[in-house]
Amino acid sequence: MPAARSKADVEKKYPLGKVVPVRVLYVSLTAAGKVIIVSRMPHVLAFKPRPALTGYELPAAAHLASDKAHSDISAAANEKGKIDKMWPIPYGTVLDDCIVLSVVGTIGLALQVPATKAVTAFAKVAQLAEEDEPAPKLNKYSGPFHVGTRHRARVVGYDAIDAVVRVSLRPSMVNEKFLTIDDVYPGAAVNGTIKVFRENGVEITISSTLHGFIHKQHLADVALKHPELQFKAGKQIACRVLKVLHEQRSILLTTRKSLVQSKLPIVTGYTEAEGAVPGAITQAVVDRVVDNGAIVNFYQGAHGLVVGGSKRLEPGKSIKCRILTCDSERRRIRVTDNVDEGVSLDELLAKLAPAKPTEFSTDISQVAPGQI
């Protein structure tokens, strides 16, 4: 029922004998009898999504969205002058300073989302404490969750019928760094737990909602004879994110110490914003040797060509390299394994520049018999 948060509200707004239109949601057939569940919510009666469903049509509420959603909202607003699309609060969004509006019996809490009065959130009592802790007793006048108290919450779902955002107040859920795949990015350092060892690699549990995979080539910097002895189920392990495949909802990781412990800049693409800065020294893994050098892999599928190599490069070897040139349009990066900081980038490029062809005179008068 809209705007009814207590028994007194229901009795005041819907006195006995009043005729009101409703829409049937479902029929419950139980041993005790048949119960018809109905709704008085305006958007349900109209049989269409509720206007201003999440409040993100309001600029004051846009800051609640994640960075990606926020940028999409800003782009839409700048392009069209207004936001004409409904923007649901993204799953995993952390909401600061939610206010308890009412205590719904022993079921949970109704909360007001900050920055907008158009959005109501609901937290089940099981989402107020950790799984290994007893559920708190709810009282609207006292206790940690009485009416008017403020809490941090995290979005864990959405109920379109009730038009409320489902949230959790569990500290472990609110403070979880990697809750969704959108929270993971190439180069991120993560601590995971080995789930299972397989012939082609190791499955890793990153968080309660995310898992990753380490290919056997990225288990270590050197080939392991018996990796199954080192990667046992339940062991905690430090990893680094190699690649995030959003469409496949897959996360590829590495446990190579040269990458996990590296403090060098991360290269995830072919632009300066993605770390491909000429002169920068970074870590890479040799993929294969070619006629004119070697192909090395960075993060997120980016790769480069090692030119003028001064060391023996072998596939699978982790090396430090310096970026020489970047071509974002052609998606090409040239690097060198010469990371001597005493040698400038210009000097390296000069050494690798092709030699100018020898110029010959075409004036035959300048040639004498016996001249070399």
Side-chain angles (χ1 to χ4, degrees):
M1 296 182 183
R5 300 192 180 279
S6 65
K7 183 178 179 180
D9 287 341
V10 175
E11 293 176 347
K12 181 178 179 180
K13 294 179 180 298
Y14 304 99
L16 293 177
K18 184 178 180 179
V19 178
V20 295
V22 297
R23 185 177 291 277
V24 177
L25 296 179
Y26 61 93
V27 178
S28 176
L29 301 176
T30 65
K34 180 184 296 185
V35 178
I36 302 175
I37 309 301
V38 299
S39 175
R40 271 279 298 156
M41 298 295 287
H43 66 284
V44 176
L45 290 176
F47 212 61
K48 61 182 180 181
R50 170 186 165 189
L53 195 57
T54 66
Y56 276 120
E57 293 78 3
L58 306 176
H63 74 279
L64 295 175
S66 63
D67 292 340
K68 181 180 184 302
H70 191 186
S71 62
D72 290 344
I73 292 172
S74 299
N78 293 334
E79 180 180 353
K80 300 181 180 180
K82 64 176 183 178
I83 301 172
D84 57 1
K85 184 177 181 181
M86 290 169 52
W87 298 92
I89 299 178
Y91 179 90
T93 299
V94 176
L95 305 172
D96 293 311
D97 206 33
C98 290
I99 305 173
V100 176
L101 294 177
S102 63
V103 176
V104 185
T106 60
I107 300 176
L109 304 175
L111 304 102
Q112 180 181 316
V113 176
T116 174
K117 296 182 179 180
V119 186
T120 300
F122 184 80
K124 293 183 178 180
V125 67
Q127 292 294 333
L128 302 180
E130 302 293 352
E131 292 184 359
D132 58 348
E133 297 178 355
K137 294 182 179 180
L138 302 181
N139 189 305
K140 64 180 180 179
Y141 299 112
S142 62
F145 301 104
H146 67 81
V147 174
T149 55
R150 299 172 182 266
H151 307 272
R152 294 182 77 227
R154 194 161 199 173
V155 177
V156 296
Y158 178 72
D159 191 330
I161 294 294
D162 294 334
V164 296
V165 178
R166 300 286 182 179
V167 297
S168 173
L169 273 63
R170 288 180 180 173
S172 61
M173 181 69 72
V174 175
N175 299 322
E176 178 63 67
K177 184 178 179 181
F178 302 111
L179 184 67
T180 73
I181 196 169
D182 293 328
D183 298 325
V184 184
Y185 56 91
V190 301
N191 292 316
T193 304
I194 297 176
K195 182 180 180 182
V196 63
F197 176 86
R198 302 188 184 280
E199 291 186 3
N200 62 335
V202 178
E203 291 186 23
I204 300 292
T205 299
I206 299 174
S207 68
S208 60
T209 56
L210 292 177
H211 296 83
F213 185 77
I214 307 173
H215 193 273
K216 60 181 180 180
Q217 294 180 347
H218 271 277
L219 293 178
D221 287 312
V222 296
L224 302 176
K225 291 184 178 180
H226 300 286
E228 68 278 4
L229 299 179
Q230 185 172 343
F231 294 90
K232 295 183 179 181
K235 181 180 179 181
Q236 299 287 324
I237 192 168
C239 314
R240 193 178 289 274
V241 179
L242 270 182
K243 193 174 185 179
V244 182
L245 304 172
H246 289 274
E247 293 184 359
Q248 294 88 344
R249 300 193 64 78
S250 177
I251 303 171
L252 302 182
L253 306 166
T254 180
T255 49
R256 286 175 175 260
K257 287 186 178 180
S258 60
L259 298 180
V260 174
Q261 299 178 0
S262 176
K263 303 297 183 181
L264 297 175
I266 300 294
V267 177
T268 61
Y270 301 90
T271 65
E272 291 192 4
E274 295 169 314
V277 180
I281 298 176
T282 186
Q283 199 81 29
V285 177
V286 178
D287 181 60
R288 63 187 185 277
V289 177
V290 294
D291 293 338
N292 56 341
I295 302 298
V296 294
N297 293 329
F298 302 110
Y299 293 82
Q300 200 60 17
H303 56 271
L305 173 67
V306 180
V307 294
S310 60
K311 304 174 184 177
R312 183 180 178 184
L313 301 178
E314 299 176 353
K317 184 178 181 180
S318 180
I319 65 169
K320 288 183 180 179
C321 56
R322 177 180 290 183
I323 298 176
L324 296 174
T325 60
C326 307
D327 188 338
S328 58
E329 293 184 358
R330 300 173 65 188
R331 297 175 64 82
R332 292 184 179 180
I333 298 176
R334 289 201 311 160
V335 302
T336 177
D337 60 356
N338 186 344
V339 293
D340 184 359
E341 295 183 355
V343 181
S344 68
L345 179 62
D346 292 335
E347 290 175 331
L348 290 173
L349 292 173
K351 290 180 181 180
L352 297 173
K356 295 182 179 180
T358 304
E359 296 183 0
F360 295 94
S361 175
T362 57
D363 186 359
I364 194 171
S365 65
Q366 302 295 325
V367 182
Q371 181 180 356
I372 296 178

